[in-house]
Amino acid sequence: MIPLLILGLLKQKQGSYGYELLALMEERHYKYIVNFTKGSFYYNLQQLEEKQYIKKVDQLDNTREKRNYIITELGDKEFEKLMFKYGSKTDYINLSFYAAMLFADEYKKEELTKLINIQIEQTQKKIFLLEQTLQHNETIPTYFKKMLENSRSHHLVNVQWFEGLLKDIGKEN
């Protein structure tokens, strides 16, 4: 999925350099969509260049030469293909917490309570980051903003669900 993100960003900001694209991915919290590291980002950037989906254009900055990228005609076709591939795919929600919940009855209630509180804390941090991004970033494309709003709604529902689990555990004791 990283190639789609890189190609899409280049369509939005043609002529960006690698670090600029990586910074955008981090600033826009694309890690909620796909796990990536600096290394995996640059590996994918190199692969896109080798496949001639993008190409470097040298630009002189006042201080140094920068390697900026533009998307090629072949890259436009790959972007269209990846948009269909990922846009037509429906994935199941696959949270590792759900796997742990399968065996909640076999786990100590006090330890389960700790796990649920960890989930609440982590989810609240995600909500905070999403809200910060939504409130302080006017450059967010419209549909990405709608996606972030949807993600925030899901996280808010999850917090309610976690709190309900805690109440259920309290009733059992």
Side-chain angles (χ1 to χ4, degrees), residues 114-170:
K114 288 179 189 176
L115 292 179
I116 295 169
N117 281 317
I118 289 169
Q119 290 295 324
I120 291 172
E121 182 181 319
Q122 290 176 353
T123 305
Q124 286 174 334
K125 284 180 185 176
K126 290 176 186 175
I127 292 167
F128 176 78
L129 286 173
L130 288 165
E131 288 175 346
Q132 289 294 108
T133 301
L134 287 164
Q135 290 173 5
H136 302 293
N137 196 335
E138 294 78 36
T139 64
I140 297 175
T142 303
Y143 287 99
F144 183 58
K145 183 176 181 178
K146 289 181 181 298
M147 188 189 75
L148 291 177
E149 290 167 347
N150 185 48
S151 182
R152 180 185 56 197
S153 296
H154 284 279
H155 288 310
L156 288 167
V157 168
N158 278 345
V159 168
Q160 289 176 340
W161 181 66
F162 293 135
E163 289 170 345
L165 291 174
L166 288 176
K167 285 180 187 173
D168 290 346
I169 291 170

Side-chain angles (χ1 to χ4, degrees), residues 44-134:
N44 279 277
L45 192 67
Q46 179 184 8
Q47 291 297 305
L48 289 169
E49 186 180 9
E50 286 177 12
K51 293 175 182 174
Q52 300 180 346
Y53 295 149
I54 62 174
K55 70 178 182 179
K56 287 181 189 170
V57 290
D58 295 334
Q59 291 187 347
L60 285 177
D61 190 315
N62 290 341
T63 56
R64 61 188 166 96
E65 187 179 307
K66 284 196 225 177
R67 298 232 183 254
N68 297 52
Y69 292 92
I70 61 170
I71 192 167
T72 64
E73 189 176 322
L74 199 57
D76 272 329
K77 289 177 182 166
E78 181 66 8
F79 173 78
E80 296 295 324
K81 188 172 113 185
L82 292 173
M83 282 293 290
F84 182 79
K85 176 182 177 181
Y86 293 115
S88 62
K89 188 175 184 180
T90 302
D91 291 324
Y92 290 105
I93 296 173
N94 190 5
L95 299 176
S96 53
F97 181 74
Y98 288 2
M101 285 300 295
L102 294 172
F103 307 103
D105 290 333
E106 283 69 52
Y107 200 56
K108 294 177 186 168
K109 297 299 177 199
E110 63 197 40
E111 294 301 313
L112 181 61
T113 299
K114 288 179 189 176
L115 292 179
I116 295 169
N117 281 317
I118 289 169
Q119 290 295 324
I120 291 172
E121 182 181 319
Q122 290 176 353
T123 305
Q124 286 174 334
K125 284 180 185 176
K126 290 176 186 175
I127 292 167
F128 176 78
L129 286 173
L130 288 165
E131 288 175 346
Q132 289 294 108
T133 301
L134 287 164

